[in-house]
Amino acid sequence: MEKTHADNNTASTEQYGASHESIQYHYDIGNEFLSLVQEDGRNYSCAMWKDGDTHETAQIRKLDYHVEQIRGTNAKRILDIGCGWGGLLHRLTSEHNVQKAVGLTLSKEQIKFIQQNYGNPKIDVYLENWQDYVPEERFDGIISLGAFEHFAKIEEDKVEAYQKFFEKCHSFLKPGGRLSLQTMGYGDVPRERKHKDLFIAKEVFPESDLPRLADICYASEMLFEVEYLRNDRLDYVKTMRAWFENLRRNRDKALKIVSQEVVERYERLYRTMSFSFDLGAFVLYRITFKRIDQNRIGDGHH
Ligand SMILES: C[S@@+](CC[C@H](N)C(=O)[O-])C[C@H]1O[C@@H](n2cnc3c(N)ncnc32)[C@H](O)[C@@H]1O
């Protein structure tokens, strides 16, 4: 497994979205703690539930869904933007016969975990922001799960930041390539609401904010066509409950690793988020985008 970019832990220029520091605050400090919350595959985004699923099988169903959306089985090269602890990279190479799975993350601990657990020449993982990433070769498909929420920190930046993301993905993909994106979003929350939920904004996802569907679609115009869209917000009610229950079950172990304040903060997070998804204030989008290869009306990005 290469890690050519991994030793460089400084973001280059001023960027949109969450910084290395805040991502590391969120994912690295709590790495051992988060393992008590996650299932064995260490996925940390919404699972896809069917009757009879355990949290483990629902997480695998989610991974396979996204691979299918981008026609990823037997592909040569797939990119995972915001690869977390590498569950998808591993699934792509071990079950879907992908020749090369490349992951980007801002968390050193996640890179270490992937190298230790899935070290394998078919997987490359880089400590790198997608804004800086320059691939050696284009990809057949891209998947990004639970990372888009981190890509813009303030309302005014959102459309521009998302546009940049879609431009990058367009340039990373071969003609005909697809991007399967999973992200939380604002649902039944007025756009003009000025104050964010301070608990979530400050304590849980510093320097991040949720997108709105209209902004995602607007930003992708002239670059991607939306091929398929689902809102599976009730899947997140179940996933948040699964994380909450895991934390409850492992509470004593958790208290040996972090303070009671941290345990309570996460209990509160999973409870609050579960209510928000149940009410429809938060939603969960799974969007399949197909690269627009030619701009038939003349002026655009291509
Ligand atoms: C909630 S985790 C999701 C991880 C994984 N996709 C999953 O479903 O388990 C968000 C991931 O996005 C990564 N991330 C956030 N902003 C990023 C950026 N600008 N460039 C690359 N990775 C980013 C984080 O480092 C982390 O790995």
Side-chain angles (χ1 to χ4, degrees), residues 94-269:
S94 64
E95 302 295 326
H96 290 280
N97 192 32
V98 168
Q99 287 177 33
K100 180 71 87 179
V102 177
L104 305 181
T105 174
L106 299 183
S107 156
K108 276 186 181 165
E109 285 296 320
Q110 292 173 351
I111 301 243
K112 206 158 51 167
F113 180 88
I114 295 169
Q115 286 168 341
Q116 276 167 2
N117 288 276
Y118 310 126
N120 155 5
K122 292 183 171 176
I123 295 178
D124 286 350
V125 61
Y126 299 119
L127 186 71
E128 186 152 18
N129 197 314
W130 56 264
Q131 296 173 51
D132 301 322
Y133 177 59
V134 181
E136 291 156 15
E137 228 183 285
R138 290 194 187 209
F139 293 92
D140 300 288
I142 302 176
I143 296 173
S144 185
L145 310 177
F148 198 86
E149 296 89 334
H150 297 295
F151 295 169
K153 34 185 167 198
I154 53 167
E155 194 64 38
E156 296 68 36
D157 277 354
K158 278 185 186 168
V159 169
E160 212 178 300
Y162 302 158
Q163 240 158 7
K164 186 162 178 198
F165 173 73
F166 286 112
E167 278 166 13
K168 282 281 180 184
C169 288
H170 189 275
S171 75
F172 295 160
L173 279 171
K174 292 178 187 166
R178 290 179 172 80
L179 157 69
S180 193
L181 179 70
Q182 173 169 312
T183 180
M184 300 176 192
Y186 282 124
D188 188 21
V189 176
R191 208 179 249 273
E192 60 276 12
R193 200 188 68 160
K194 285 286 177 256
H195 67 281
K196 284 197 272 182
D197 180 324
L198 285 184
F199 168 65
I200 290 178
K202 286 218 175 349
E203 294 298 323
V204 189
F205 292 123
E207 301 184 6
S208 302
D209 195 16
L210 302 188
R212 287 175 185 278
L213 180 61
D215 292 343
I216 301 174
C217 293
Y218 182 75
S220 72
E221 277 178 16
M222 309 301 286
L223 294 161
F224 285 92
E225 67 177 295
V226 175
E227 204 170 47
Y228 196 68
L229 163 69
R230 308 170 56 123
N231 172 5
D232 291 325
R233 70 180 163 83
L234 297 182
D235 277 352
Y236 235 144
V237 177
K238 291 188 182 144
T239 305
M240 289 291 167
R241 277 190 193 148
W243 289 334
F244 182 83
E245 280 160 20
N246 287 345
L247 183 51
R248 267 290 148 89
R249 208 178 38 251
N250 291 316
R251 204 168 201 273
D252 291 343
K253 284 188 201 157
L255 285 169
K256 293 197 176 110
I257 305 171
V258 295
S259 66
Q260 180 156 344
E261 185 274 320
V262 171
V263 173
E264 284 171 2
R265 172 158 27 111
Y266 274 81
E267 285 174 346
R268 184 172 161 205
L269 163 74

Side-chain angles (χ1 to χ4, degrees), residues 38-44 56 59-60 63 83-88 90 113 118:
Q38 297 163 310
E39 30 58 85
D40 285 348
R42 303 220 45 190
N43 291 286
Y44 205 43
E56 279 74 12
Q59 285 291 356
I60 290 169
L63 299 180
C83 63
W85 288 262
L88 175 63
H90 178 59
F113 180 88
Y118 310 126

Side-chain angles (χ1 to χ4, degrees), residues 23-32 107-110:
I23 293 282
Q24 286 181 5
Y25 167 84
H26 188 60
Y27 295 111
D28 287 357
I29 295 166
N31 197 36
E32 199 189 342
S107 156
K108 276 186 181 165
E109 285 296 320
Q110 292 173 351

